[in-house]
Amino acid sequence: MMRTFIAVDVASSATIGRLQSDIMSAQGWSARDVKPIEAHNFHFTLIFLGEIRDGDADSIKAKLSEVQFEPFTITYVDVGAFPKSDAARVIWVGVDSAGGQKLSALAGDVVSKMAGLGFQADKPFSPHLTIFRAKGRPVRMADIASKYRGATFGIDTVDRVHLKKSDLTSSGPVYSNIYTVAAKK
């Protein structure tokens, strides 16, 4: 058995890493309050598949190979929180409207293909990049959302979708690509 999900990786990790440092410093958060997502783990989860058997990977790869899309760009904008800024469990960076629509359409196509294999998304796709997770109790974001409203944090080209394996370790998750579908150019 292996824990899997389908995702798009992030290349603009240095800029977003600096944003994480700025927010932690401005908020006075420590490692006891939040866990910053490591830059090499930045990704957009299109669908979480959960535990699958090794043999199921072949049918997932076959369905994923049917996904066709052209490369597109996304611009990282704004900072927000789930469920709300005064009791945040997840702090995220959003994407521009046009890029978000294309990313949502790509996620919809992937979810549709996976539905044919019996997988379902546990919640509707929301184009956001998780940069922190609260530890223990929720954190307050104070004025962070308004401070960064309209700010941009880099641009990426979405040109690959990955079937990923997640190995949970004591020092955090380790992700590895099992299969990749490239955009049609």
Side-chain angles (χ1 to χ4, degrees), residues 1-75:
M1 297 289 281
M2 63 180 146
R3 188 172 194 256
T4 59
F5 61 98
I6 298 173
V8 169
D9 285 335
V10 170
S12 294
S13 56
T15 304
I16 296 169
R18 283 191 297 278
L19 173 65
Q20 282 177 308
S21 296
D22 291 348
I23 291 173
M24 278 196 77
S25 176
Q27 292 298 109
W29 290 338
S30 74
R32 287 187 312 261
D33 303 314
V34 294
K35 170 156 180 24
I37 304 304
E38 295 164 321
H40 64 272
N41 282 342
F42 286 151
H43 67 274
F44 294 93
T45 300
L46 304 181
I47 183 172
F48 179 73
L49 302 175
E51 296 281 338
I52 65 166
R53 291 181 196 86
D54 291 348
D56 293 335
D58 289 337
S59 56
I60 293 168
K61 291 176 191 177
K63 278 292 186 188
L64 193 56
S65 72
E66 296 173 9
V67 173
Q68 294 191 15
F69 66 102
E70 293 184 4
F72 60 92
T73 59
I74 54 175
T75 302

Side-chain angles (χ1 to χ4, degrees), residues 48-162:
F48 179 73
L49 302 175
E51 296 281 338
I52 65 166
R53 291 181 196 86
D54 291 348
D56 293 335
D58 289 337
S59 56
I60 293 168
K61 291 176 191 177
K63 278 292 186 188
L64 193 56
S65 72
E66 296 173 9
V67 173
Q68 294 191 15
F69 66 102
E70 293 184 4
F72 60 92
T73 59
I74 54 175
T75 302
Y76 298 100
V77 297
D78 299 328
V79 175
F82 294 134
K84 55 188 178 177
S85 62
D86 62 347
R89 289 240 169 247
V90 171
I91 294 88
W92 49 262
V93 171
V95 298
D96 67 295
S97 179
Q101 288 175 356
K102 289 179 180 176
L103 197 55
S104 293
L106 178 58
D109 190 21
V110 169
V111 168
S112 173
K113 299 281 192 265
M114 294 302 112
L117 297 174
F119 295 101
Q120 293 186 346
D122 56 349
K123 57 189 172 225
F125 178 77
S126 171
H128 71 281
L129 174 65
T130 299
I131 59 172
F132 294 104
R133 290 192 186 282
K135 287 183 165 181
R137 59 186 174 86
V139 295
R140 289 186 48 86
M141 281 191 34
D143 63 346
I144 293 298
S146 59
K147 176 181 178 179
Y148 290 107
R149 186 168 293 119
T152 61
F153 311 106
I155 297 173
D156 265 335
T157 298
V158 175
D159 61 358
R160 286 176 172 53
V161 173
H162 307 283

